[in-house]
Amino acid sequence: MKKLLLAIFIILNTLIMYSQTGSLSPYSFYGVGVNTFKGSMDNRSMGGLNVYSDSIHLNLTNPAAYSELKLVNYSIGLNYNNYNFKTDATNESATSANINYLAVGIPTKHLNFGFGIIPQTSVGYFLKSIDETVVPEQVDRYEGEGGVNTAFLTFGFKLFKRIGVGFTANYEFGNLKHVNSRFLKDIELSTRLENDSSLSGVNFVYSTLIREKISKNLILHATYIFKPESKLSSNNTQILATMPPSGSYGGDFEQIDLSALNLDKTEIIIPKSHSFGIGIGEDTKWFIGADYSKTDGGGLENKLFTLKNVEFKEASKIAFGGFWIPKYDSFTSYFSRIVYRAGIRIEETGLHIQNQAINEFGINFGFGLPFQGFSNINLGFEVGKRGTKNAGLIQEDFFSIRLGLSLNDRWFVKNKYN
């Protein structure tokens, strides 16, 4: 069983390294792309709560949650997204699928730890505009791909009986490609400007988690998460080329000397953030909670582009949700052992274009389906919206299906009998 799981993890890890189609949003052009990771599948079905943790799941957004882990845990998350893009004049649809995370958590006697890899952001868009008012007619095409991955190492332990603390070290890396092309009617060659950036950086996350029994059955949950400001180093190249509309060879190209413009090596600031959460519940029966997250503004600017009417202001997120288990130890009814989850999230992304705030809203629900001991399948759904049609912008309506596998095992146990 362990060898099979290890093989699955190696294969999926390889897929993550070569697959970055996590978003088809036109707003992924800005900064380092759209943030596609918002937590493990069980937490996302509750609106993306950071505050809840237990002994058999990994809470990947809260390092202190690792202090609760009792079994070795393998976690995999998969996403399928259906988009509907709306403007005042058009209506288009598209789909995407990606691996959302791959993680392992290991408890020991005094210290729990975990590691994994997460496609953190994604760039993926294809836009076209036609200007028939000029002669010759002009067509502009904008394409982007890539994203930022996070390889993490997390430690969590009990500071006191009811207080856990945690620490995560993240190494972030990835590539972004943005291509702008211009085609003129009846002109053989088009103009193409390709911008490539290779990103890397290190950041840290600190958190504390409190689980306090306030009555015979009720437990109060509270958490605080802090992520200091960090930077991504960006090595940039820019190529200007002419080529046939088919994209095949036949034109000319020139690599622009970015060092003369001090743009060959730049830095992207990732602002600091704080998150607070509180909730109440009864173990193995029900839970309800809320989170509030706040991120400073002024960061995420890519100096390789000069963008007008675009700002990254202060961002925030409110999440509210919970779960209910009819009877976790029922022997007669499988449906009584299912975890029923629901939640909402309201997110101000901080991105402002032409004085319009690009915000997100999502309604979530899902199910935890138990199998083989403490392992389970977490199935989640989200209906949501991003952006606005105001000022000629694009509104995205999306529907997401999410599948998470949480597989548990027990290590470091000595046999009492041979």
Side-chain angles (χ1 to χ4, degrees):
M1 179 67 176
K2 292 178 183 177
K3 290 182 179 179
L4 174 61
L5 291 173
L6 178 60
I8 292 172
F9 269 64
I10 292 173
I11 292 170
L12 290 177
N13 183 57
T14 304
L15 290 173
I16 286 179
M17 296 295 290
Y18 291 97
S19 174
Q20 282 280 25
T21 315
S23 173
L24 295 174
S25 171
Y27 297 113
S28 67
F29 168 80
Y30 302 95
V32 293
V34 171
N35 184 7
T36 54
F37 176 74
K38 301 179 186 295
S40 54
M41 296 310 175
D42 47 310
N43 289 69
R44 290 193 72 171
S45 295
M46 297 185 287
L49 289 181
N50 297 319
V51 66
Y52 184 74
S53 63
D54 59 33
S55 62
I56 60 172
H57 293 93
L58 294 183
N59 183 340
L60 300 176
T61 57
N62 190 343
Y66 276 70
S67 66
E68 298 292 329
L69 196 63
K70 303 300 182 185
L71 298 172
V72 175
N73 182 277
Y74 311 85
S75 287
I76 306 167
L78 308 171
N79 269 346
Y80 171 81
N81 305 297
N82 183 279
Y83 301 94
N84 188 22
F85 304 106
K86 298 179 181 178
T87 67
D88 290 331
T90 62
N91 193 326
E92 300 289 342
S93 298
T95 60
S96 71
N98 71 306
I99 297 174
N100 198 238
Y101 58 84
L102 181 67
V104 178
I106 302 172
T108 64
K109 185 175 181 180
H110 300 293
L111 178 71
N112 298 343
F113 68 97
F115 55 89
I117 188 167
I118 297 167
Q120 191 75 42
T121 73
S122 179
V123 174
Y125 60 90
F126 182 92
L127 300 172
K128 184 169 68 172
S129 66
I130 301 174
D131 189 350
E132 298 177 341
T133 63
V134 297
V135 179
E137 183 180 290
Q138 178 178 298
V139 178
D140 290 320
R141 192 168 70 192
Y142 307 91
E143 303 170 72
E145 64 182 22
V148 176
N149 299 309
T150 299
F152 69 90
L153 177 63
T154 296
F155 297 94
F157 62 94
K158 287 289 188 180
L159 187 62
F160 300 105
K161 184 178 180 180
R162 295 179 176 84
I163 300 177
V165 295
F167 161 81
T168 294
N170 294 317
Y171 173 66
E172 299 194 332
F173 61 98
N175 295 281
L176 309 180
K177 177 184 284 189
H178 300 276
V179 179
N180 301 341
S181 303
R182 174 164 290 180
F183 305 85
L184 301 178
K185 188 176 181 180
D186 299 326
I187 301 298
E188 181 181 358
L189 298 178
S190 65
T191 304
R192 172 188 170 103
L193 179 64
E194 180 178 319
N195 302 279
D196 291 278
S197 299
S198 178
L199 308 177
S200 63
V202 175
N203 62 67
F204 304 96
V205 182
Y206 310 89
S207 72
T208 184
L209 177 70
I210 299 173
R211 286 169 51 94
E212 178 66 38
K213 202 165 188 178
I214 58 176
S215 71
K216 182 179 179 181
N217 297 318
L218 293 181
I219 297 176
L220 177 69
H221 301 241
T223 192
Y224 169 68
I225 305 170
F226 174 61
K227 185 175 182 179
E229 180 183 294
S230 61
K231 296 179 180 179
L232 287 173
S233 299
S234 180
N235 295 320
N236 309 309
T237 60
Q238 198 171 68
I239 297 175
L240 181 63
T242 56
M243 58 180 57
S246 64
S248 59
Y249 293 102
D252 197 6
F253 72 92
E254 177 184 357
Q255 183 162 327
I256 297 173
D257 183 10
L258 292 179
S259 61
L261 304 172
N262 292 321
L263 292 176
D264 58 327
K265 297 181 184 295
T266 57
E267 288 184 337
I268 298 175
I269 296 174
I270 309 298
K272 72 173 182 289
S273 65
H274 306 263
S275 178
F276 307 86
I278 191 167
I280 192 170
E282 187 175 344
D283 278 350
T284 67
K285 288 199 173 183
W286 63 272
F287 175 83
I288 190 169
D291 282 339
Y292 173 74
S293 302
K294 176 182 175 184
T295 302
D296 287 355
L300 298 174
E301 179 186 359
N302 190 338
K303 295 182 177 62
L304 193 59
F305 305 103
T306 301
L307 302 175
K308 296 181 180 180
N309 300 319
V310 176
E311 293 181 273
F312 285 94
K313 299 183 179 181
E314 186 178 275
S316 65
K317 184 181 78 170
I318 297 173
F320 178 81
F323 70 81
W324 172 61
I325 309 173
K327 189 176 182 182
Y328 82 98
D329 57 354
S330 175
F331 288 100
T332 59
S333 173
Y334 179 80
F335 292 99
S336 294
R337 304 201 309 272
I338 291 177
V339 184
Y340 299 87
R341 303 183 177 104
I344 62 171
R345 64 180 179 93
I346 303 169
E347 191 168 350
E348 295 181 352
T349 66
L351 175 61
H352 288 246
I353 305 173
Q354 298 179 29
N355 295 318
Q356 300 294 318
I358 307 303
N359 298 328
E360 293 185 31
F361 171 78
I363 300 174
N364 301 265
F365 61 96
F367 311 95
L369 308 175
F371 78 97
Q372 195 176 9
F374 292 102
S375 297
N376 51 84
I377 298 172
N378 295 298
L379 186 62
F381 306 87
E382 183 174 27
V383 179
K385 182 180 80 168
R386 178 191 293 121
T388 176
K389 293 191 291 184
N390 296 336
L393 299 177
I394 298 174
Q395 177 181 307
E396 301 174 25
D397 296 329
F398 58 87
F399 173 70
S400 300
I401 301 174
R402 304 189 176 107
L403 176 66
L405 300 180
S406 181
L407 310 176
N408 290 286
D409 200 355
R410 189 181 297 275
W411 292 5
F412 313 118
V413 177
K414 293 183 180 180
N415 292 328
K416 293 185 177 180
Y417 305 99
N418 293 320

